[in-house]
Amino acid sequence: MALSEESLVDARDVVDSADSLIEVIDLHRVYGSGILAVHALRGVSFHVGHGELVAIVGPSGSGKTTMMNILGCLDRPTTGQYRLGGRDVSTLSADELADVRNARIGFVFQGFNLLPRNSAVQNVGLPLRYGPPLSSAERHRRSLECLSVVGLAHRASHLPNQLSGGEQQRVAIARALVNNPSLILADEPTGNLDTRRSEEILALFQRLNRLKGMTIALVTHEPDIAACCRRVLHFRDGVLERDEPIVMRSLDTNDGDAFAVRDPAGPTPSRGVECVPCVP
Amino acid sequence: MRSLMMARMAMQALAQNKLRTFLTTLGIIIGVASVIAMVALGQGASASVQARIAGLGVNVLTVFGGSATTGGARQGSAAVESLRAADVEAIRRECPSVRLLSPQLRRSAQVIAGDNNWATGLQGVDTAYFRIREWTFATGSAFEAIDTTVSAKVCVLGETVRQQLFGNADPVGAVVRVNQVPLRVVGVLTPRGQTSFGQDQDDAVFIPYTTFMNRLYGTDRFSMIVLSAVSPEEVDAARAEVTSLLRQRHHIRASSDDDFYIRTQQEIAQAAEQTTAIFTLLLGGIAAVSLVVGGIGIMNIMLVSVTERTREIGVRLAVGAHRRDILVQFFTEALVLSVLGGLAGILVGAIAVWVVRALSPWAPIMTVSSVLVAFFCASAVGLLSGYYPARKAAHLDPIEALRHE
């Protein structure tokens, strides 16, 4: 069963019951205190709507990593408000933040961060272990589904070191998808990959965004990568310097409404794999 | 429910790294096994010493002639033969708690049989002596009471003496000579082996004490009287009766020391018991050290594991693990390691005990209490050494942990 773009977006609007998925209002983040205080963010405000594909760019020290940590509920702002899906998460406890991360946010890291002694499907299922209780059969089913979305169902039982870099990152993306999050945060997701693999990963993000209405925020310092998004937030010296919509460089050559991931290592192209990841 | 899941993940992590799991538990295995084996050895040794002492007779008392002061220099015990035949008669008459008694005199002597001879301890005793010491005969029998009365020229040989003088022949009826006095052999004692102090009890020749005193050495005093109380419970009563009687007979004033002293087998048994208890404690203590070392091994590996898996912990926290989940996971790992080590240690310890029992004359005794104590110590050590690393893991900052190289 392939859902249309509209129905997915509609479903999300009901769930989130707010205009914007992300609302950041006058956010400050200060590390340390006194004369040693470092102002990583100095009053940042912006909104991100549902289904957007946003790049967060800036040189090192610009505050983009701090922004990313706060958006990912790994860190809390010193002052200001961060509302995710209409809910103020700036004042939640550590365990509440963990639950928000589990249910609403999917992380994709530069270094993949897969557990080395766990198979691909076990890695994908990891967030499910920290969510509401599910049977192991149900976890396995959902994890496999998400592996199909990224075209790696046939690699389910492989260990990370038996997979190529691009494949590992696709497993990580499947892990980010498994709890059907509102937001995918990708921190330099192509930093460890060559150009061809990078483009595969970016094409996958574009497809997830286009076909499933996934909201994706991508942190990068490469203009080439930012160019693959629809909107770019430029950070410099802890402030949002520029916020501009751009014309996306589309890498997603597949016009159909189904996912097809080019998989040179795989025996057959996994075109036409149905994917309804993780609708609760 | 959730903790159960975390515990299962801990088991998976251990199963995924079997070699390290084994090496980590090895410390605990050796610790528990050595505690069990050492305590079993100590208890076995203790039991065998107890059995030997019980063989000497737990209701036996020995009265030694007292020490004397000669020109300011105090002599050792039994330096003066303050005991006389009349004392023996008085004790026999007046001490109701004493059942049997026998004087005992000792001297080294050369015993000659045909063209063989052997230096041994010659002992002058009453026929009751063999019953007091509960000593049976391999062949022949003890000399009679009448032999004592008439200072008969008879003797009883210990097994060692028999072997030295007669080889494999039966010596009963044969004659041996000591100081030119011919003595007819009437019996051979069953071998007793060494005392717990390493003295060969079978290297002795026993003759009636009257023969010893009148025919061989011409003395009217003796250095020891061996007594048996009517029951082990009456040993203290017997001692009190004998003490007061001898003080009275020897005209000792209330302010003066005894000119004799009494030792009981119970005292020797207690001393030996204490020695073996200390021995057991010492062995157990040394083994316990290895248990602690095993615990430190677990803590060490868990700390290494936390450092090594910092990124993993970061990922788990990022995808929604609570701090408690991480704590439970790592704590369970440590607990499972120590419990597995404890169980394997019990098995190895039991095998070690079995091997020692099969290969040595000692019979180690494995007690349930030592097994339980070792196992619970191992678990406690595991809990203590697992808590700190688990806490450390749970309190990692997810951002730092994800950035960890």
Side-chain angles (χ1 to χ4, degrees), chain A residues 66-96:
Chain A
T66 305
M67 193 65 243
M68 165 90 181
N69 288 338
I70 292 175
L71 288 179
C73 293
L74 292 165
D75 196 5
R76 272 172 288 201
T78 309
T79 61
Q81 230 187 33
Y82 167 36
R83 300 169 73 83
L84 179 64
R87 185 185 184 193
D88 184 3
V89 295
S90 356
T91 56
L92 296 182
S93 73
D95 281 353
E96 287 169 327

Side-chain angles (χ1 to χ4, degrees), chain A residues 99 101-102 113 129-130, chain B residues 9 311 316-317 319 322:
Chain A
D99 290 337
R101 290 198 296 270
N102 181 254
N113 280 342
R129 290 167 181 258
Y130 295 106
Chain B
M9 281 199 287
R311 261 166 173 279
R316 287 178 185 275
L317 288 169
V319 301
H322 291 188

Side-chain angles (χ1 to χ4, degrees), chain B residues 291-306:
Chain B
L291 199 57
V292 170
V293 171
I296 293 170
I298 287 191
M299 167 133 39
N300 191 12
I301 291 293
M302 291 305 297
L303 282 173
V304 168
S305 170
V306 168

Side-chain angles (χ1 to χ4, degrees), chain A residues 65 69 74-75 94-96 98-99 101-102 107 109 111 113-118 122 126-131 133-134 136 139 175 179, chain B residues 1-2 5-6 8-9 12-13 16-17 308 311-326 329 397-399 402-403:
Chain A
T65 302
N69 288 338
L74 292 165
D75 196 5
D95 281 353
E96 287 169 327
D99 290 337
R101 290 198 296 270
N102 181 254
F107 289 94
F109 306 98
N113 280 342
L114 301 175
L115 307 191
R117 292 176 185 277
N118 287 265
Q122 282 174 330
L126 186 68
L128 296 175
R129 290 167 181 258
Y130 295 106
L134 289 175
S136 62
R139 285 205 307 270
R175 180 178 65 193
N179 250 345
Chain B
M1 191 54 215
R2 185 158 171 150
M5 163 101 74
M6 302 307 134
R8 253 212 321 271
M9 281 199 287
Q12 279 169 11
Q16 281 160 357
N17 205 338
E308 191 184 272
R311 261 166 173 279
E312 172 188 329
I313 294 162
V315 172
R316 287 178 185 275
L317 288 169
V319 301
H322 291 188
R323 298 207 177 283
R324 212 183 103 83
D325 298 333
I326 304 291
Q329 184 189 341
D397 174 29
I399 298 170
L402 282 168
R403 220 179 280 152

Side-chain angles (χ1 to χ4, degrees), chain B residues 242-290:
Chain B
V242 172
T243 303
S244 91
L245 181 69
L246 289 182
R247 282 181 73 88
Q248 186 194 330
R249 288 184 58 81
H250 294 183
H251 310 292
I252 298 166
R253 267 177 273 161
S255 56
S256 305
D257 290 337
D258 296 344
D259 66 345
F260 57 91
Y261 78 99
I262 300 176
R263 191 182 271 179
T264 62
Q265 290 294 346
Q266 282 183 335
E267 282 168 353
I268 297 171
Q270 271 163 13
E273 200 171 336
Q274 266 171 12
T275 311
T276 51
I278 290 167
F279 185 57
T280 304
L281 217 70
L282 190 75
L283 287 176
I286 291 169
V289 169
S290 63

